[in-house]
Amino acid sequence: MQEGNARVSAVIPAYNAEGFIRDAIQSVLAQTYEIAEIIVVDDGSTDRTAEAAAGFPRTLVIRRPNGGQGAARNTGIHAASGEWIAFLDSDDLWVPRKTEIQLGCVTAQAGVIHCFRFNPIHFGNLWHRQAHVAPSGALVRRQVLLEVGGFEESRAVVGVEDLNLWLKIALTDWRFVQSETGL
């Protein structure tokens, strides 16, 4: 079931990303499936990240005090209007058909569409770290993110805030679906 009319929001958390944020944004704008909005969350950068991200079409830049990746992503989720959220780290790039291919994998129970070949994504494999979903390769229903409370913002989970999110989603009725594309 392709979601041809799905509204997709890209959320890019950024901290001191002045040197590469433009390339990340351009890879979103180059998608063959038009992304409705790009939300760059400047997470307390001390460089000119916000200025470098400003001026791109359909791009909103939100500045916030430094709170870490989880807090920056949650800020973007709450600002987004899309029914699907696509995360992109500020130093990553997407291949042009990423979103188009992922939306082609949508089913009624799909909560997360990911594009990394690994062991099947379920709670046990995630818990034992035998499976992995990288945020930059994930397309997630906004509804799912809101239902599970988004990313953990505690500094105690720095570096595993994404794993914490995937575990919470794995405990719901939503499913992880693998697409056939990389970043």
Side-chain angles (χ1 to χ4, degrees):
M1 166 201 308
Q2 180 150 2
E3 295 275 317
N5 295 320
R7 185 172 170 83
V8 178
S9 300
V11 172
I12 305 174
Y15 177 74
N16 289 342
E18 176 184 4
F20 35 84
I21 190 69
R22 288 180 192 92
D23 290 338
I25 293 170
Q26 288 171 341
S27 79
V28 175
L29 292 171
Q31 291 296 291
T32 55
Y33 186 95
E34 185 174 296
I35 303 297
E37 63 188 351
I38 303 167
I39 301 168
V40 175
V41 181
D42 181 347
D43 191 38
S45 295
T46 58
D47 65 1
R48 297 181 42 85
T49 295
E51 291 81 358
F56 284 94
R58 302 184 311 276
T59 302
L60 169 66
V61 178
I62 300 172
R63 291 182 178 197
R64 55 162 287 127
N66 183 262
Q69 287 270 6
R73 287 187 181 121
N74 287 341
T75 296
I77 292 164
H78 290 290
S81 63
E83 59 194 295
W84 288 91
I85 307 291
F87 298 103
L88 177 62
D89 289 342
S90 60
D91 61 347
D92 283 342
L93 304 173
W94 286 340
V95 296
R97 293 190 60 222
K98 174 199 175 285
T99 310
E100 174 190 347
I101 292 169
Q102 286 182 304
L103 285 171
C105 297
V106 169
T107 65
Q109 281 306 113
V112 179
I113 311 292
H114 65 96
C115 56
F116 290 99
R117 296 187 187 279
F118 214 107
N119 292 329
I121 305 295
H122 56 74
F123 186 84
N125 280 350
L126 288 165
W127 182 256
H128 295 291
R129 299 204 179 196
Q130 296 171 340
H132 180 70
V133 177
S136 287
L139 182 64
V140 188
R141 284 187 198 268
R142 185 171 184 268
Q143 172 187 349
V144 173
L145 293 164
L146 297 175
E147 283 178 17
V148 301
F151 288 88
E152 177 64 45
E153 296 186 17
S154 165
R155 295 287 186 168
V157 298
V158 170
V160 294
E161 63 274 351
D162 57 328
L163 175 60
N164 179 274
L165 175 71
W166 310 135
L167 287 168
K168 291 189 297 187
I169 294 171
L171 290 172
T172 70
D173 290 333
W174 294 103
R175 297 290 166 247
F176 289 81
V177 175
Q178 180 180 315
S179 72
E180 294 300 320
T181 182
L183 292 176

